[in-house]
Amino acid sequence: MSFIAENLSSVKQRIERAALRAGRRPQDITLIAVSKTKPAELIREAYNCGQRVFGENRVQELSEKAPALPGDIAWQLIGHLQTNKVRQVVGRVSLIHSLDSLRLAEELQKESEKRGLVTELLLEINIAGEESKFGFRPEEAIAAAEWIALLPALRLRGLMTVAPFTEDPEENRKYFRQMRQLAVDIKDKNIDNVSMDILSMGMTGDFEVAVEEGATMVRVGTGIFGERDYSAQS
Ligand SMILES: *Cc1c(COP(=O)(O)O)cnc(C)c1O
């Protein structure tokens, strides 16, 4: 077995165990294989193991890699999107995890409407209030959801967060809990055109805790593809 096959199988097993510990159904959690910086060959290996959902954080890289890979891959954008790149993303990804401003929502609305498409997205929340991170503050989330609901070519499906980097995943449990509660609060508002069925949280270092706290999507890169090497990038 290749290291990717082994890693994938181990990550899936850990997701399954975390789900069962929390009394959840393992099939309710989608694994997003984060393939940023990784070449098409490695992505194809994961594909050959049955993986179909892949996450990329840069539009440029996504546009370069996607044409070389099978058409039934569901690409998802997980990184910050600049408004001038919106045209290259709409219609190319099945989900945008990283809606981090109303300005971006407006641009996505315009482009989606022009193309006759509905773009599905998640509201990115900066749950720990970190200076370095994108995303709405938790207290802005309800108003943002209400505003996005008015844009007919957008469909808000849930929330996403990148929790703080930590050696001890237990430290992020409180943030995952807050995310879950925030999703419940927004759902309770019964906003037309908004659902809160997706909670995208948890990465290599903390995905099991995220699953225990209600994640429906986990984004795992290093745990599947190994360490990333940024030195070769321009
Ligand atoms: C890179 C990245 C991940 C995956 O990180 P790992 O720690 O390698 O699992 C998940 N989410 C986002 C937004 C990322 O940029």
Side-chain angles (χ1 to χ4, degrees):
M1 243 205 309
S2 73
F3 79 95
I4 287 186
E6 276 176 31
N7 286 349
L8 257 177
S9 131
S10 136
V11 166
K12 281 190 217 164
Q13 196 173 66
R14 287 166 61 193
I15 290 172
E16 188 176 315
R17 288 194 188 134
L20 295 175
R21 276 199 299 280
R24 304 183 56 204
R25 301 188 312 167
Q27 65 265 35
D28 291 345
I29 295 120
T30 303
L31 171 61
I32 318 296
V34 176
S35 48
K36 63 190 188 200
T37 80
K38 299 296 176 182
E41 305 91 81
L42 293 189
I43 300 174
R44 191 177 292 276
E45 253 187 73
Y47 178 90
N48 289 339
C49 298
Q51 182 66 30
R52 290 294 179 272
V53 190
F54 291 85
E56 287 281 342
N57 68 335
R58 291 172 70 228
V59 175
Q60 171 85 19
E61 196 179 334
L62 174 66
S63 311
E64 283 165 10
K65 286 196 268 191
L69 287 154
D72 63 339
I73 286 181
W75 294 102
Q76 303 195 338
L77 188 76
I78 59 172
H80 175 62
L81 175 58
Q82 289 169 283
T83 49
N84 63 356
K85 301 263 171 69
V86 158
R87 226 171 313 133
Q88 298 167 62
V89 171
V90 169
R92 277 223 181 113
V93 296
S94 60
L95 183 66
I96 296 172
H97 290 237
S98 42
L99 184 81
D100 55 16
S101 75
L102 297 180
R103 169 89 210 288
L104 176 61
E106 230 170 328
E107 292 302 315
L108 285 165
Q109 160 66 25
K110 272 190 223 160
E111 185 63 22
S112 306
E113 187 180 63
K114 196 155 68 175
R115 312 259 298 268
L117 298 169
V118 170
T119 297
E120 307 219 334
L121 31 89
L122 307 178
L123 205 59
E124 180 169 355
I125 306 293
N126 185 355
I127 195 67
E130 292 173 281
E131 285 288 339
S132 58
K133 294 232 164 96
F134 290 102
F136 291 90
R137 287 181 285 138
E139 59 272 26
E140 297 171 325
I142 290 175
E146 285 169 339
W147 195 84
I148 292 159
L150 302 175
L151 305 177
L154 302 186
R155 178 107 173 85
L156 187 58
R157 297 284 311 274
L159 305 179
M160 175 271 215
T161 199
V162 179
F165 176 79
T166 166
E167 295 292 331
D168 177 10
E170 283 300 327
E171 286 179 9
N172 281 338
R173 188 179 293 277
K174 59 180 178 296
Y175 296 125
F176 295 142
R177 250 181 221 169
Q178 287 167 17
M179 285 293 294
R180 167 84 191 276
Q181 187 55 50
L182 188 55
V184 168
D185 292 346
I186 295 173
K187 198 176 157 88
D188 284 350
K189 295 273 172 193
N190 279 315
I191 309 167
D192 270 357
N193 192 35
V194 169
S195 58
M196 281 287 131
D197 50 325
I198 300 178
L199 199 46
S200 168
M201 56 189 195
M203 306 175 19
T204 296
D206 56 16
F207 69 85
E208 287 156 298
V209 175
V211 167
E212 287 170 9
E213 296 302 331
T216 67
M217 285 187 176
V218 293
R219 310 177 308 269
V220 179
T222 316
I224 295 171
F225 296 104
E227 293 293 334
R228 285 178 291 272
D229 177 8
Y230 287 98
S231 63
Q233 285 207 321
S234 53

